[in-house]
Amino acid sequence: MADFTKIRREQMRWSILLTLNHARPVGAHEQMVLSTVQAVYPDATAHEVRRELDYLENRELVEIAREPSGYWRAELTRYGIDIAEYTVECEAGISRPVKYWEG
């Protein structure tokens, strides 16, 4: 049986990476990331986005600026860009689709 929680979590991470890749070079406010994720998962919460951003930061794929006001801003690291652009292998934990559009 499929683990829908795991699938959701890993697809959310991929959505976050794509959002931040499109937001380069300035990065993105967490609210923008949440809005994008909610296009896929309308019930996604700010807590879930922060949890997955934290995961991606621990994997050194994103850098997070925790503002004194309490908001977060995130941007991709060099390695995060490579994952988003399919130039390096993607380890388990992120549901990156298989690149089918090139040989």
Side-chain angles (χ1 to χ4, degrees), residues 29-62:
H29 188 277
E30 66 179 310
Q31 186 59 46
M32 184 182 125
V33 175
L34 176 60
S35 295
T36 304
V37 169
Q38 286 176 331
V40 179
Y41 294 104
D43 62 338
T45 66
H47 176 73
E48 284 180 294
V49 167
R50 280 191 173 194
R51 185 182 63 215
E52 301 317 327
L53 279 169
D54 184 65
Y55 172 88
L56 294 169
E57 182 182 44
N58 287 333
R59 286 189 52 177
E60 300 180 354
L61 299 174
V62 304

Side-chain angles (χ1 to χ4, degrees), residues 5-37:
T5 303
K6 178 179 180 270
I7 293 168
R8 176 185 171 107
R9 182 175 60 238
E10 293 182 357
Q11 288 181 342
M12 197 174 289
R13 291 172 186 158
W14 178 241
S15 294
I16 291 169
L17 289 176
L18 288 181
T19 300
L20 296 176
N21 193 39
H22 287 288
R24 288 176 35 219
V26 295
H29 188 277
E30 66 179 310
Q31 186 59 46
M32 184 182 125
V33 175
L34 176 60
S35 295
T36 304
V37 169

